Every structure is written in C-alpha cells, then in structure tokens.
Amino acid sequence: MPSFGRTLSEIPPSPLVTVDRLLRAGAHAEPVPLQQGKTVFEPCARPGTWERAEFGIAAHEHAPPAGVPALRSAFADMASRRRGTAVDPGQVLVTSGATHAIAVTLHAILSPGDEVLILSPQWLFATGLVWAAGGTPREVPVFLELSEDPAFDFIAAIERAVGPRTRAIYFNNPNNPTGFRLDERALGALAELAARHDLWLIADNAYENYDFGDGGFLDTATVPGAAERTFSVHSCSKTYAMPGARVGHLISPPGAEEILTKWSLHTLYSVSTAAQYTAFRALATPADELARRRAAAERAWRLADAALEIPHTRVAGGLYTFLDLSRYGDGAEFVRRCAEAGVGLAPGQVFGGHCDGWARLCFTAAPEEAVADAIGRINKIYWEGGLDR
C-alpha cells in the first residue's frame, strides 16, 4: 500500500483510553469517571429551531468561515465588557471548540521547526497540537513549582527556555491540571517577557467561569502590552456545559483576522450553523446562574480538599486537583488500581513529561456524594500501597 506522510509518531496513544477500558471492564457497580474534565451541570442551551430573522441565517445554510455575524458580535460584546475596551467583531473567529482555536493559531504563526514554550503541567492535547502544526513543543515546568512556592521565579525559568526558534508561549489559566491561578502581577511579567523576545502569547481561557479569585477571571489581553500579541482562546464547553456543541471562539490581535480565517476555512470551512445558534442562545444565560455554577464548583473543591488524604495541589480555579503520588511509588500503578476499584483518574504523564508521579482528579465530574465515595476508595488504595505504610 502507499506510505503515509507525517504520522504524528511523536504523540503517544492516550492513556485515558486504558482508564476507560478498565472502568468498563471492572466489576464495581458504580464506577465514577473522575478522569474526565466535565461538570454535572445541565447545558445552558440545547439545539433548537429558529426563524431566519432571529439569527440572520437559516438552519440549513452553511455559516460563513469566520462565524455567523450575530454570534461574532455577541462574543465581541461580551469580551468588550470583560476587558473594558472595545473588541471589534472582526477580531472574533468562531471555532469548533478551544482545540480548533489553538490549532488554527498554531498553524498561522508557526513555520516548520519553530518552538512553542508550553507552561507545564498543561492541558493534555497542547503538545500534540504543536507537533501537528509542524512545530516543536518545549515544556517549561512552572505550575507545580508555583503551587509549592508562589514566590518561585517562573519568569526566569521561561527565560532560560527561550531559544532562536521560539515563537510563542502557551498557557492555560486557571491551570488544568493543578488549579493554580496566575494573577495580574504574574501575567504582567509574562507579557513583559513576551515583549522582550517578540513572542506571541496563546492564552487558553477554557476555565474562565471557574476562577475562584476574589476579582474573578482576569483576561490576559487586559494586561498592559499584552493585547497586541495575545491570542485569547475561549470555549463554550466548560462555561456553558455544552461540550457536545463543539463551539468556541478565538479573539486575535488586530491584523491577524485574515490569516486565521484562511486556516479555519481550509481545515473546517465553518462550524455547524445549528451549533452556533445553540451557543448564541447560551450567551443569554443570566450572570447569577453562571455565578451559582462557579460557587458549586468551588464547593466541590472544598469538599474534595477536606476528604483527600493524598497530598494534592491547592486549587484557585478550574475543575481539578493534581494528586502527588511520589510516596505511593508508582503513579501509573495507582491509576490502574483505582480504575479497577471503579474510580477513574487521569495519569499524570499526559500533562507533562515530568508528571509521571501524579494523577489528575476532576472534582466536578460526578455528584458530590459520588465524588466523596470515590475519594474514600482512592484514599484506601493510597494507604494500602504507599511507601509510608
């Protein structure tokens, strides 16, 4: 048969597939899939029908490559209120989730062999997206260090990693999987570093509604000097609990609109019109309902924190905590035993090459009672097999 071209051999198969298989094969009557990044919240909107006048386009028509104008305007209005400065709808690209938004950005800014610094631990698909765009990912461990010591000089660590082919820095904030939150001072220092080295910033804001800080979510683009070099990635999957719709959006620096639309056009053409209408309806979700969900996620974290007997990261936002399994001795074995006991955890290795001794727990992936029961099971496994027993 003819040969393949690039096979993404740099990217290993996902260990999450193994976790899913173990959960399905296990004998436990009530498996709890805490390896999944989800919430128990109902979707803020569901697919429906509409009149053409309401959305400016009929359901059977394909949307423009950059997105339905009504939705782009709604996203821009929301960003303008959040940032306190006007965001033009032309800067908004409607994407098939945050994954597509990041992929389009990487294709637009990278030449073959260019490097992207990934602040690590990181969202599990970040490095693969860089490889797929022809770039080279370089993980820079910072979030575990900051979780242990907020005074850790993460800027110096990033500075040491900058090389002649570095083109961008990717990070998500609040961080998946540690729950660490970069504050205004940290984001300002990051923007200054990017300016010194003329780098792009790719800010993954998937967990913007689950920032537990007193001031709420801080958009990186509002930091002085950041807007002209920041690609802001947003997703409806977490904020509006509608991952199946596959809708997100990308807010680009002025002047990048044409190239981003070209990449979106030639990878997807356009996001489903029905999905875009569903997102349009979700944007009408009352602010107090989103605040209620944020408070429920924070409560779920407090309950998990109190129940866990395993060392873990402190959470300032997001849906996860990262379990430190160094005293257990074997992170992969711990994840396997938990799966056999009916509790799914995400293996640490998928979040960074230095994270083999860790595992991610999503404390919003099941009702509170189920999470508490699952934590009881994993505590038992930890003490039965830990090196300190």
Side-chain angles (χ1 to χ4, degrees), residues 267-317:
T267 54
L268 182 70
Y269 190 87
S270 65
V271 176
S272 156
T273 304
Q276 292 195 53
Y277 177 69
T278 307
F280 182 70
R281 292 180 56 218
L283 295 187
T285 303
D288 59 353
E289 171 59 19
L290 296 179
R292 184 192 69 79
R293 295 174 181 226
R294 180 170 55 252
E298 186 172 8
R299 183 177 67 249
W301 149 242
R302 301 297 176 195
L303 293 172
D305 180 42
L308 278 166
E309 299 172 10
I310 304 168
H312 55 280
T313 53
R314 308 294 299 175
V315 173

Side-chain angles (χ1 to χ4, degrees), residues 202-253:
I202 304 173
D204 182 346
N205 304 314
Y207 298 94
E208 60 187 300
N209 191 56
Y210 300 103
D211 187 321
F212 305 148
D214 292 338
F217 173 69
L218 177 64
D219 193 322
T220 302
T222 63
V223 173
E228 63 267 22
R229 63 181 65 252
T230 300
F231 293 91
S232 298
V233 176
H234 301 268
S235 172
C236 292
S237 296
K238 300 300 187 293
T239 298
Y240 302 107
M242 39 191 284
R246 306 309 308 139
V247 179
H249 67 286
L250 175 65
I251 302 176
S252 63

